[in-house]
Amino acid sequence: MNVIQFEDKPLAHYSYAIISGGDMALVDPSRDPKPYYELAEKHQVKIKAIFETHPHADFVSSHLQLHKETGAKIYVSQLVGANYTHEAFDDGNSISIGDVTFSSINSPGHSPDSITIIAVDKENNHAMFSGDTLFIGDVGRPDLREKAGNMKAKREELAQKMYHTIQHKFTHLPDATIVYPAHGAGSLCGKNMSTDSQSTLGKERKENWAFQDMTEVQFMNHILKDQPFIPSYFEFNVDINKNGADNFKSVFGSIPFKFGITDFKNNNDLILDVRSADDFQKNHLKGSFNIIAETENDKVETWLGSIIEPNESFHLVINTVDDVEVILSRIAKIGYEKQVKSIITLDSTSFETSKPLDLQDFKNNTDQYTIIDIRNKSEVDEGKIFENAISIPLHQLRASKSKIPTDKPIVVHCAGGYRSAAGSSVISNIIESNNIYDLSDNINDFY
């Protein structure tokens, strides 16, 4: 079988196309269906099947659009309670696409409705598309479905189910089975994933902590400990994927565009400014959150969906007209495109500026500043950079006004400089002060 892996780097998401004969099957496709269409055209094949391993929390899938535009059937567990046309695909179900037979294993743990897709070709080569059940070096977190989806489940219940899935569900598969997960290192769907994009089941049996000899209680204690925070948008995406999303880009053309504005009247709406920290500090609209989206390494999707709530509308400030489709596409990956009230570029008119930090004064007199550490709890637990810093994770800042003293200038820092741009802008919106500073990548001077 011919397996092609697609990677969405900002979300550390992997999707797959499997080609056999003149047919193609897809697993866990991203929001934008274009790459799959381009691949089908290149190989002159037809898209016949779309497998969804579960309703994803961290991105919106294009499964419904692909079905509508190609006629391909969607295969998903009946436990999902999907509100779109689909074929139930659970234990005992199988289909053939070309010379490859696909079968399902119900594998609850990350979610109660997770399935693992097993693919076997005529040479008896095995592959498993494990969704968010089995990762390389880890397994999926069990705490995302307490309030979302058709089947809700407590984290302890799913942790227990994951133990039994790992212990019993895959024992019949050969060590040579290639493991293709839905996420890799950097995803919030697990806590300790490898940077490898694939593995073998034999290697995971030897090296992955979840396959090691331990009791159910030991397993549950390990998987429940120190999971990362849950972004606000995760439950929202589970529900979108359960119902099926609108077509990608379907609302892009209806969003008002305001080019080179010279004035701006805001009715207490949120403003997302994705430009660089330097551009933002030189000129920005009052009330803006600076969540940078310059490169693929900038996790604007995650932080947008963690700082701004689902269904909160916002204006979008971009650097240039050339960025319109790129930025809207990234916003649409988490289903927030309908929340964009307008798209704005600024001209030379000066709105608001941010004062630069006197770095030398800060180095000499750190005790004269209130220092806000916006790293995640797990990062802070590994060690504080400034002993007198107040720890408030970035995703909690908007609700933390009462925790931030205002008797001194405020300096915001993270681990490398990206998040502190967002953090300092958020604090500037909840506290009336002209003395709020972004330490930015100068944090590296303090390691």
Side-chain angles (χ1 to χ4, degrees):
M1 74 186 88
N2 181 15
V3 178
I4 298 93
Q5 184 181 64
F6 296 83
E7 181 182 9
D8 181 328
K9 289 184 179 179
L11 290 170
H13 164 229
Y14 299 124
S15 58
Y16 301 90
I18 304 94
I19 297 174
S20 179
D23 297 330
M24 178 191 292
L26 300 173
V27 180
D28 293 332
S30 298
R31 181 76 192 271
D32 184 359
K34 184 179 178 182
Y36 312 113
Y37 291 152
E38 290 175 335
L39 184 68
E41 287 182 339
K42 176 183 176 181
H43 289 272
Q44 296 183 321
V45 294
K46 291 185 177 181
I47 301 173
K48 288 291 188 71
I50 305 139
F51 297 102
E52 285 287 291
T53 58
H54 64 292
H56 295 276
D58 67 314
F59 73 94
V60 174
S61 171
S62 60
H63 55 283
L64 182 57
Q65 180 173 353
L66 285 158
H67 162 71
K68 291 189 292 187
E69 294 178 344
T70 69
K73 291 182 178 180
I74 304 172
Y75 295 88
V76 65
S77 172
Q78 65 177 347
L79 300 175
V80 170
N83 293 326
Y84 50 80
T85 301
H86 65 280
E87 298 285 331
F89 205 57
D90 293 284
D91 283 339
N93 296 134
S94 64
I95 62 165
S96 293
I97 302 292
D99 293 324
V100 179
T101 299
F102 295 87
S103 58
S104 175
I105 298 175
N106 288 101
S107 45
H110 173 68
S111 70
D113 43 26
S114 290
I115 55 174
T116 296
I117 309 299
I118 307 301
V120 183
D121 65 15
K122 59 184 179 181
E123 282 83 35
N124 206 37
N125 297 307
H126 284 63
M128 60 187 295
F129 300 92
S130 54
D132 287 0
T133 297
L134 176 60
F135 294 133
I136 312 307
D138 199 8
V139 291
R141 63 190 297 178
D143 58 345
L144 300 182
R145 289 293 293 274
E146 294 190 319
K147 299 178 182 177
N150 181 55
M151 294 182 68
K152 299 172 178 61
K154 294 293 184 184
R155 61 190 66 193
E156 292 82 7
E157 176 188 349
L158 285 178
Q160 184 181 44
K161 288 182 181 295
M162 181 68 85
Y163 174 78
H164 290 282
T165 289
I166 296 300
Q167 290 292 316
H168 306 299
K169 288 285 189 171
F170 308 133
T171 54
H172 64 290
L173 296 171
D175 281 346
T177 302
I178 301 176
V179 180
Y180 293 109
H183 289 95
S187 168
L188 289 175
C189 293
K191 62 179 178 180
N192 232 351
M193 287 174 268
S194 168
T195 55
D196 294 341
S197 61
Q198 65 184 64
S199 183
T200 64
L201 189 53
K203 184 177 181 183
E204 294 307 298
R205 284 167 171 156
K206 291 179 181 178
E207 300 179 7
N208 190 315
W209 72 267
F211 282 97
Q212 306 316 304
D213 185 21
M214 69 185 84
T215 67
E216 182 180 286
V217 171
Q218 289 172 325
F219 181 97
M220 291 175 63
N221 288 339
H222 189 285
I223 196 174
L224 290 169
K225 183 181 179 182
D226 296 334
Q227 288 291 353
F229 75 97
I230 302 173
S232 302
Y233 79 96
F234 270 23
E235 292 178 15
F236 178 63
N237 276 198
V238 169
D239 290 336
I240 290 177
N241 287 320
K242 176 181 174 293
N243 293 315
D246 292 337
N247 283 10
F248 183 60
K249 299 184 181 179
S250 61
V251 304
F252 286 15
S254 64
I255 301 172
F257 180 57
K258 301 175 181 179
F259 181 78
I261 65 170
T262 57
D263 67 330
F264 183 74
K265 294 181 176 63
N266 188 10
N267 298 317
N268 294 317
D269 290 318
L270 300 177
I271 303 170
L272 167 66
D273 190 325
V274 299
R275 298 173 303 143
S276 71
D278 286 344
D279 287 340
F280 181 86
Q281 289 176 3
K282 291 173 185 174
N283 189 25
H284 61 266
L285 299 178
K286 183 177 177 61
S288 300
F289 296 155
N290 185 207
I291 309 177
I292 301 167
E294 288 195 296
T295 72
E296 280 192 329
N297 294 324
D298 297 336
K299 291 182 174 292
V300 66
E301 298 89 345
T302 297
W303 293 113
L304 167 60
S306 302
I307 295 170
I308 295 179
E309 297 286 330
N311 300 315
E312 279 190 304
S313 61
F314 57 91
H315 299 279
L316 171 64
V317 178
I318 58 175
N319 189 47
T320 169
V321 65
D322 291 335
D323 293 337
V324 170
E325 186 163 315
V326 172
I327 300 302
L328 284 179
S329 295
R330 295 188 70 170
I331 291 170
K333 285 196 287 181
I334 65 166
Y336 272 34
E337 71 275 17
K338 293 180 182 178
Q339 298 166 221
V340 181
K341 294 196 69 172
S342 71
I343 305 166
I344 297 167
T345 62
L346 307 180
D347 74 353
S348 57
T349 301
S350 181
F351 290 95
E352 300 279 326
T353 60
S354 300
K355 291 192 301 184
L357 173 67
D358 184 335
L359 183 60
Q360 194 57 54
D361 183 72
F362 176 68
K363 287 181 176 180
N364 294 337
N365 304 284
T366 55
D367 60 327
Q368 298 301 309
Y369 293 82
T370 293
I371 303 173
I372 306 297
D373 182 347
I374 62 166
R375 295 177 300 157
N376 297 328
K377 181 181 181 299
S378 59
E379 296 173 277
V380 176
D381 288 345
E382 291 178 2
K384 297 184 76 170
I385 300 170
F386 302 97
E387 281 304 315
N388 61 329
I390 299 170
S391 174
I392 308 174
L394 176 54
H395 67 284
Q396 297 176 3
L397 271 182
R398 282 181 69 192
S400 300
K401 178 179 180 179
S402 63
K403 298 178 182 179
I404 303 174
T406 57
D407 58 328
K408 301 177 184 178
I410 297 168
V411 172
V412 182
H413 84 84
C414 58
Y418 173 76
R419 287 172 287 177
S420 58
S424 57
S425 66
V426 169
I427 292 176
S428 294
N429 281 297
I430 61 175
I431 289 176
E432 287 292 332
S433 173
N434 292 321
N435 296 312
I436 299 169
Y437 302 101
D438 172 15
L439 188 54
S440 189
D441 56 4
N442 292 313
I443 186 63
N444 293 306
D445 292 353
F446 296 88
Y447 284 110

